[in-house]
Amino acid sequence: MSDPANLQQVLDRIVRTTTEQPWVRLGTIMDTVGSRSFGPVLVIVGVLLMSPISGIPGVPTLSGLLILFVSAQMLVLGPGYWLPGWMMNRTLPAEKLHRGIRFLLPAARFIDARLHPRLVPVVRGPGSYLISAVCVVIAAFMPLMEVIPFSASAAGFALAVFGLAMISLDGLLALLGLVFTFTVAGLIVINFL
């Protein structure tokens, strides 16, 4: 199976793979998008964190662990990743997952129509390591976002933007994601000082 080329393909694959199941294993979702593609993983986690499913206790922390595992391995080992069995066996309610995906499909179509390859070195080669490093930092703060319901949505937005940029090879989108991430981080630091 080839890597998905846009957000709608990622979402469609997840829905096709998880229909008629009351609970969806994280491993099933990861197998759907492949274990060598970092972009779809970021999109999936970002979408989950922007959906109502992020309000389920443990989802932000699990998402942070997933991104930490994957992005750290990308920094050290390059393409491809491995996740422990206990993480791959975690489940999510399929109904909430599908509801979140249905909510996002119109936006996915709108977004996909505007993305295309540009500034490719930002998302390939050395640029991908910068994105991975930023994702490691975001992931490290995800457990702290557990205490405030839905606060992980901003992190989810940044992760989804990075994932979309990597899928579509859109370096401009990745740069906008970096600006967003550093702006939010700066605002948080300023509010705590």
Side-chain angles (χ1 to χ4, degrees):
M1 181 185 315
S2 63
D3 288 339
N6 58 40
L7 178 56
Q8 189 171 350
Q9 286 181 11
V10 171
L11 297 176
D12 287 344
R13 283 185 186 184
I14 293 169
V15 169
R16 264 196 324 267
T17 305
T18 61
T19 52
E20 300 179 21
Q21 296 179 27
W23 292 88
V24 179
R25 276 183 352 97
L26 180 61
T28 302
I29 295 172
M30 301 306 287
D31 290 342
T32 299
V33 298
S35 63
R36 295 190 56 79
S37 187
F38 187 50
V41 173
L42 291 177
V43 170
I44 290 168
V45 173
V47 166
L48 288 176
L49 290 172
M50 289 188 297
S51 75
I53 214 162
S54 69
I56 297 173
V59 169
T61 299
L62 178 64
S63 299
L65 286 172
L66 175 64
I67 293 300
L68 187 63
F69 268 100
V70 173
S71 49
Q73 288 178 61
M74 186 174 172
L75 277 171
V76 177
L77 304 173
Y81 53 84
W82 167 87
L83 295 172
W86 64 267
M87 188 177 285
M88 296 293 271
N89 288 325
R90 297 292 297 218
T91 58
L92 302 167
E95 179 184 332
K96 287 188 178 184
L97 176 66
H98 293 158
R99 190 177 330 131
I101 289 173
R102 279 192 304 273
F103 174 77
L104 292 170
L105 276 174
R109 289 184 197 102
F110 178 83
I111 290 167
D112 288 342
R114 283 143 184 84
L115 300 180
H116 56 85
R118 57 187 158 193
L119 301 173
V120 175
V122 175
V123 292
R124 290 285 188 248
S128 67
Y129 291 107
L130 173 62
I131 292 171
S132 296
V134 170
C135 290
V136 166
V137 174
I138 291 171
F141 285 97
M142 290 300 293
L144 297 175
M145 296 176 197
E146 189 83 43
V147 294
I148 303 170
F150 305 105
S151 66
S153 294
F157 178 77
L159 294 171
V161 165
F162 292 138
L164 285 171
M166 296 181 95
I167 291 169
S168 63
L169 300 177
D170 194 333
L172 178 61
L173 182 62
L175 291 174
L176 292 173
L178 289 169
V179 168
F180 172 80
T181 302
F182 290 127
T183 301
V184 170
L187 290 172
I188 290 170
V189 168
I190 288 169
N191 284 324
F192 279 110
L193 293 180

